[in-house]
């Protein structure tokens, strides 16, 4: 068996529907545009055919349907079984990773995981798999996604923060919490506080007033207070806002991840195609807005329509320029071909 040297990368976690798979594909496209070799590894046995290019897939080992059929399990039990099975068959994963990454250890990996919360709150298999990847010299950071919709509801936000904190304590990796889908926030009506309040997770006692007004949560006044104090005491959780299609928030997140894992990327001398101007973003200043949380709020919440309109005009202009260039080139090509 070919022995590998590990690689840098990310393990993407978060509750069901938080946007993990979309993020994996978006990050894959982003890194590919930056010229960084990257592989997505699908660890979700419920999705045998993920939408992204996938050379290593848990479904080659076991699928959720197989686990359900063969062991008479329901979907949740079968999911845990699949991850335990992966742990038991770690040699399979090790061999496949070594084939994929090779001996140089210069690849970059992104692990997509299922949305079942036990996997990163209290079940031990995923944690042990990550530990064994660490022994193989994989330098991973956890990217934990929570849907930004949660900030519109105090109880949901507190539960998202608790889950994020639990994931940090359980996975024991360099860890970045992300508020995903912030491009949808403007559609949820006015926010009770600025976005910064939610990304910094400072002094959650302000949320107690809202919680104690809601009849569903008012019954648990003392529990609410205790939970809020627990979060404030730990001071562990903060969020990075992210919209997968927005290269500024993606770049900011990537820079944080590289810092967390110690990844240094030296681009090769070969010219890398850069259709969306991402390379210039990597090398130089952020375009349009700086990626600070207040700027993110302005771009995606307060003045979303204006920015969208300005971007549409910019894209239309770029498309027009590209079309003219292509016309000129192809026109010439055709003439050259006719002359030959
Ligand atoms: N607007 C918007 N939609 C997003 C974004 N990220 C994900 N989505 C949408 O959110 C839905 C769920 O996304 P997935 O990527 O499948 O979420 P997941 O976390 O992988 O879901 P599970 O694997 O089922 O846990 C899909 O409809 C995505 O298109 C985003 O940044 N912006
Ligand atoms: Mg998914």
């Amino acid at each position: 068996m070919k022995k590998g040297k590990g690689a840098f990368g990310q393990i993407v976690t978060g509750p069901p529907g938080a946007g993990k798979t979309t993020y994996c594909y978006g990050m894959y496209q982003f890194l590919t545009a930056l010229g960084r070799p990257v592989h997505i590894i699908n660890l979700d046995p419920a999705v045998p055919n993920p939408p992204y290019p996938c050379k290593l897939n848990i479904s080659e080992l076991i699928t959720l349907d197989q686990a359900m059929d063969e062991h008479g399990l329901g979907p949740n039990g079968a999911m845990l079984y699949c991850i335990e099975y992966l742990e038991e068959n770690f040699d399979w994963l090790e061999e496949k990773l070594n084939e994929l990454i090779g001996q140089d250890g210069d690849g970059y990996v992104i692990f997509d995981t299922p949305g079942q919360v036990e996997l990163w709150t209290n079940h031990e298999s995923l944690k042990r798999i990550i530990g064994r990847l660490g022994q193989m010299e994989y330098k991973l950071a956890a990217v934990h996604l929570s849907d930004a919709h949660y900030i519109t509801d105090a109880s949901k936000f507190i539960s998202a923060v608790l889950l994020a904190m639990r994931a940090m304590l359980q996975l024991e990796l360099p860890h970045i919490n992300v508020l995903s889908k912030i491009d949808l926030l403007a559609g949820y009506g006015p926010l009770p506080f600025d976005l910064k309040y939610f990304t910094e997770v400072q002094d959650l006692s302000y949320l107690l007033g809202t919680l104690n007004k809601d009849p569903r949560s008012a019954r648990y006044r003392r529990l609410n207070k205790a939970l809020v104090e627990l979060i404030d005491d730990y001071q562990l959780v903060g969020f990075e806002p992210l919209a997968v299609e927005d290269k500024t928030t993606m770049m900011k997140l990537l820079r944080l991840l590289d810092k967390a894992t110690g990844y240094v990327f030296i681009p090769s001398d070969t010219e890398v195609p850069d259709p969306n101007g991402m390379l210039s973003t990597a090398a130089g200043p952020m375009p349009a807005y700086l990626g600070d949380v207040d700027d993110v709020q302005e771009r995606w919440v307060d003045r979303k329509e204006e920015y969208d309109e300005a971007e549409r005009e910019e894209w239309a202009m770029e498309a027009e320029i590209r079309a003219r260039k292509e016309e000129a080139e192809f026109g010439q090509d055709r003439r050259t071909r006719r002359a030959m």
Side-chain angles (χ1 to χ4, degrees):
M1 184 182 73
K2 208 161 58 160
K3 270 270 173 227
K5 264 199 187 164
F8 286 87
Q10 312 173 19
I11 178 144
V12 184
T13 59
K20 299 177 291 298
T21 297
T22 310
Y23 166 82
C24 290
Y25 196 12
M27 189 49 88
Y28 173 91
Q29 290 170 317
F30 194 70
L31 291 174
T32 304
L34 291 172
R36 189 184 296 187
V38 53
H39 303 285
I40 310 182
I41 293 137
N42 178 31
L43 296 188
D44 187 347
V47 184
N49 298 304
Y52 43 72
C54 177
K55 291 198 190 136
L56 179 39
N57 195 335
I58 189 175
S59 303
E60 290 168 32
L61 181 71
I62 189 165
T63 66
L64 192 77
D65 287 344
Q66 279 170 351
M68 287 170 71
D69 292 346
E70 287 169 21
H71 302 281
L73 294 164
N76 292 350
M79 180 60 81
L80 297 183
Y81 178 87
C82 288
I83 301 299
E84 284 166 12
Y85 191 77
L86 177 65
E87 186 195 348
E88 260 169 46
N89 291 278
F90 187 81
D91 290 352
W92 173 84
L93 184 63
E94 182 172 3
E95 192 167 333
K96 292 280 176 187
L97 279 170
N98 288 342
E99 278 169 21
L100 192 65
I101 305 297
Q103 291 181 320
D104 306 335
D106 61 352
Y108 191 89
V109 288
I110 303 177
F111 290 91
D112 188 11
T113 67
Q116 195 156 322
V117 296
E118 298 97 304
L119 293 176
W120 35 266
T121 56
N122 48 2
H123 193 263
E124 294 293 315
S125 281
L126 185 62
K127 180 183 174 152
R128 286 196 287 255
I129 289 168
I130 290 171
R132 294 189 68 175
L133 288 170
Q135 287 165 7
M136 287 170 68
E137 292 186 46
Y138 275 77
K139 292 154 207 82
L140 302 176
V143 182
H144 182 83
L145 269 56
S146 307
D147 196 315
H149 184 260
Y150 291 147
I151 73 175
T152 61
D153 179 318
S155 5
K156 284 188 191 157
F157 182 63
I158 287 171
S159 69
V161 175
L162 283 171
L163 281 177
M165 195 158 85
R166 189 67 198 109
M168 293 172 94
L169 297 172
Q170 171 79 359
L171 297 177
E172 296 177 346
L173 283 175
H175 189 111
I176 302 200
N177 289 305
V178 169
L179 269 188
S180 58
K181 312 187 198 175
I182 47 142
D183 53 307
L184 298 178
L185 267 182
Y188 303 144
L191 294 177
F193 299 99
D194 282 351
L195 186 57
K196 204 173 197 159
Y197 175 74
F198 296 101
T199 55
E200 289 185 351
V201 194
Q202 293 281 341
D203 203 352
L204 289 192
S205 59
Y206 287 108
L207 294 181
L208 283 176
T210 321
L211 283 176
N212 294 339
K213 269 188 224 144
D214 183 336
R216 284 174 309 159
S217 48
R219 293 194 292 158
Y220 306 108
R221 263 166 204 268
R222 283 176 45 216
L223 178 64
N224 295 338
K225 187 160 175 288
L227 289 177
V228 159
E229 281 170 5
L230 177 83
I231 294 167
D232 282 346
D233 286 350
Y234 266 89
Q235 294 263 323
L236 266 185
V237 184
F239 289 100
E240 280 302 312
L242 179 83
V244 168
E245 302 259 310
D246 176 43
K247 60 187 175 195
T248 310
T249 54
M250 284 289 270
M251 181 53 78
K252 185 156 179 251
L253 178 58
L254 180 60
R255 284 177 175 171
L256 286 171
L257 285 162
D258 286 350
K259 224 169 150 183
T261 52
Y263 184 88
V264 179
F265 175 59
I266 300 156
S268 66
D269 292 339
T270 49
E271 203 171 301
V272 173
D274 186 21
N276 304 314
M278 289 174 179
L279 275 180
S280 51
T281 314
M286 300 282 189
Y289 66 97
L290 289 169
D292 178 78
V293 179
D294 289 332
D295 298 326
V296 173
Q297 163 143 358
E298 175 174 306
R299 165 64 185 92
W300 289 108
V301 184
D302 300 339
R303 293 173 56 203
K304 178 174 187 293
E305 280 180 21
E306 271 171 66
Y307 274 94
D308 283 352
E309 182 57 35
E311 267 186 10
R312 272 195 293 273
E313 279 171 18
E314 206 180 304
W315 291 337
M317 219 153 69
E318 277 171 18
E320 171 84 29
I321 292 169
R322 232 184 353 256
R324 279 198 207 148
K325 258 192 194 164
E326 274 170 16
E327 203 180 299
E329 272 173 34
F330 286 131
Q332 238 173 8
D333 271 353
R334 269 182 221 121
R335 277 194 298 278
T336 321
R337 263 190 240 121
R338 266 203 299 273
M340 280 166 63

